[in-house]
């Protein structure tokens, strides 16, 4: 509408209110995008869609998102980890911005409209809801991971990659982390006997392990972990890039330097003392045992606990309300220059309805903004 005010646009929303996913994003602050401004770098955060998004991100990237919001009076800020939020720290700011824009442009936002069927006529689309029937020249579907919509698209001949959870945390019951809820460390995590691995902050919770590192691993391993029924062995390197041999050398040096000190007293590494105490105990080292008294086996066990601790994962938990799925319309059936269906002219897609998803950090929203922009460009181009 900003590019062509003559267009007549209506948004059909099943719920009573709009933008609920925006409302709950980022703990109610709305993680709008991420401060990664180079398209070829940005695509690396997408387990599914990396190749396909390269072109779209050259058309509309994170910097363009920031500029769009600035033009609409919304200032964004960058946090230490690169996530971007409105300076108000409130998702309502973003919701109000969109609602204000629709009102100014005369876009009809119709709530309580549950789509029942989509029918293709010769030169228009017919959409039936629980209340009325709509006809349109261009139909844009942004329904996310809605199985009902995917079923309708299957009837139209589209292929749907079956959905599986993408962002989730790991359920682990283990004595080593039992009383450490709330502690975090920067660690490397790996699924045993697999190529799946990731690094990042790891948070110990009352149900197991969470944090960006775990969520990253869950996103990249969405399908593989689904096939394992979320039963697998997780290997944790609490020292991140430090391997077993390097850890052994460090421990031997500590044994020399701190011979008369108790091993468990203070963590010599950059993670919490309580975690260090737990790993020391798990290595068969008594609480008051001195460095000088450590046997070769105890040193070896401690190096193993530090760099290759194995934890049995039994199931998953959804990451707050920000549930993301891997799955959706097969990417081969979409023209990524326009986001138009290759099967049906004048049918467009944006957001998570397609088989694209990202790790946590504002990337899924950036895909939504980018694909929405490209659809708008394509649609308005046809009416010029």
């Amino acid at each position: 509408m900003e590019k062509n005010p003559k267009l007549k646009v209506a948004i059909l929303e099943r719920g009573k209110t709009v933008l609920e996913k925006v409302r709950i994003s980022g703990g109610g602050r709305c993680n709008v995008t991420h401060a990664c401004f180079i398209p070829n770098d940005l695509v690396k955060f997408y387990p599914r869609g990396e190749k396909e998004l390269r072109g779209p991100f050259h058309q509309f990237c994170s910097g363009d998102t920031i500029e769009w919001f600035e033009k609409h009076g919304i200032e964004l800020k960058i946090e230490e980890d690169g996530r971007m939020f409105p300076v108000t720290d409130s998702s309502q700011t973003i919701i109000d911005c969109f609602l204000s824009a629709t009102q100014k442009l005369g876009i009809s936002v119709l709530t309580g409209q549950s789509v029942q069927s989509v029918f293709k006529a010769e030169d228009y689309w017919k959409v039936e809801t629980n209340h009325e029937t709509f006809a349109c020249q261009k139909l844009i579907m942004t329904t996310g991971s809605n199985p009902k919509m995917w079923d309708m698209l299957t009837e139209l001949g589209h292929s749907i990659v079956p959905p599986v959870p993408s962002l989730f945390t790991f359920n682990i019951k283990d004595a080593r982390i039992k009383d450490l809820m709330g502690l975090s460390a920067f660690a490397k995590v790996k699924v045993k006997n697999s190529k799946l691995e990731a690094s990042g902050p790891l948070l110990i919770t009352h149900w197991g392990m969470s944090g960006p590192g775990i969520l990253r691993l869950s996103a990249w391993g969405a399908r593989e972990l689904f096939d394992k029924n979320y039963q697998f062995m997780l290997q944790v390197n609490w020292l991140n890039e430090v391997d077993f041999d390097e850890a052994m050398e460090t421990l031997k040096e500590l044994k020399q330097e701190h011979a008369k000190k108790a091993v468990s007293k203070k963590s010599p590494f950059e993670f919490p003392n309580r975690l260090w105490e737990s790993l020391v105990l798990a290595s068969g080292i008594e609480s008051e045992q001195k460095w000088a008294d450590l046997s070769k086996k105890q040193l070896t066990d401690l190096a193993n606990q530090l760099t290759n601790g194995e934890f049995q994962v039994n199931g998953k938990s959804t990451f707050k309300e920000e549930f993301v799925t891997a799955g959706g319309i097969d990417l081969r059936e979409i023209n990524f220059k326009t986001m138009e269906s290759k099967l049906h002219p004048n049918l467009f897609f944006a957001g998570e309805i397609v088989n694209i998803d990202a790790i946590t950090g504002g990337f899924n929203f950036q895909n939504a903004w980018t694909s929405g922009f490209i659809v708008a460009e394509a649609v308005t181009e046809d009416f010029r």
Side-chain angles (χ1 to χ4, degrees), residues 39-266:
N40 289 351
D41 292 339
L42 186 58
V43 294
K44 292 172 185 170
F45 294 96
Y46 295 81
R48 284 145 292 273
E50 178 179 347
K51 183 181 68 166
E52 290 80 6
L53 285 174
R54 194 166 281 116
F57 282 157
H58 276 92
Q59 288 189 60
F60 191 90
C61 203
S62 312
D64 300 299
T65 298
I66 297 165
E67 186 182 356
W68 188 90
F69 278 106
E70 279 180 353
K71 282 182 180 176
H72 291 77
I74 307 299
E75 187 183 346
L76 303 181
K77 62 177 179 177
I78 304 173
E79 301 208 333
E80 280 185 23
D81 58 4
R83 292 181 302 160
M84 298 195 69
F85 297 87
V87 294
T88 59
D89 275 330
S90 171
S91 57
Q92 193 62 45
T93 302
I94 304 300
I95 293 170
D96 292 344
C97 172
F98 285 134
L99 291 178
S100 174
T102 58
Q103 288 167 4
K104 284 179 184 175
L105 296 165
I107 296 170
S108 301
V109 180
L110 308 172
T111 55
Q113 297 282 351
S114 176
V115 174
Q116 305 300 308
S117 68
V118 173
F119 174 76
K120 185 186 180 186
E122 274 190 33
D123 58 351
Y124 68 93
W125 287 92
K126 187 168 80 170
V127 179
E128 290 183 341
T129 74
N130 54 331
H131 291 303
E132 53 197 301
T133 300
F134 299 85
C136 58
Q137 287 177 274
K138 311 279 184 183
L139 178 61
I140 303 160
M141 300 188 76
T142 62
T143 48
S145 51
N146 185 320
K148 185 179 172 184
M149 294 299 110
W150 281 336
D151 288 344
M152 288 182 200
L153 287 167
T154 302
E155 289 176 17
L156 288 169
H158 269 290
S159 306
I160 304 298
V161 178
V164 297
S166 178
L167 289 180
F168 50 87
T169 58
F170 299 163
N171 294 348
I172 299 169
K173 285 187 177 179
D174 192 289
R176 287 167 290 180
I177 60 171
K178 185 171 179 265
D179 298 315
L180 303 181
M181 285 87 80
L183 293 190
S184 67
F186 199 99
K188 178 182 278 188
V189 286
K190 187 179 188 301
V191 175
K192 191 175 182 178
N193 300 322
S194 163
K195 292 180 179 177
L196 289 173
E197 66 175 35
S199 292
L202 184 158
L203 175 68
I204 297 171
T205 68
H206 67 276
W207 63 82
M209 292 183 185
S210 183
I214 295 293
L215 293 170
R216 195 166 290 148
L217 189 67
S218 76
W220 287 101
R223 296 215 164 270
E224 191 173 327
L225 300 182
F226 173 81
D227 292 340
K228 292 178 182 290
N229 196 29
Y230 309 106
Q231 308 287 320
F232 57 92
M233 191 66 76
L234 180 72
Q235 296 172 307
V236 179
N237 183 344
W238 300 101
L239 305 181
N240 192 27
E241 294 299 331
V242 177
D243 64 19
F244 172 83
D245 291 335
E246 291 172 298
M248 272 298 282
E249 285 304 310
T250 301
L251 292 176
K252 285 174 182 175
E253 289 171 13
L254 288 165
K255 184 177 179 179
Q256 294 293 324
E257 292 171 16
H258 303 292
K260 294 181 180 180
K261 292 181 180 177
V263 180
S264 64
K265 268 287 184 277
K266 189 175 186 301

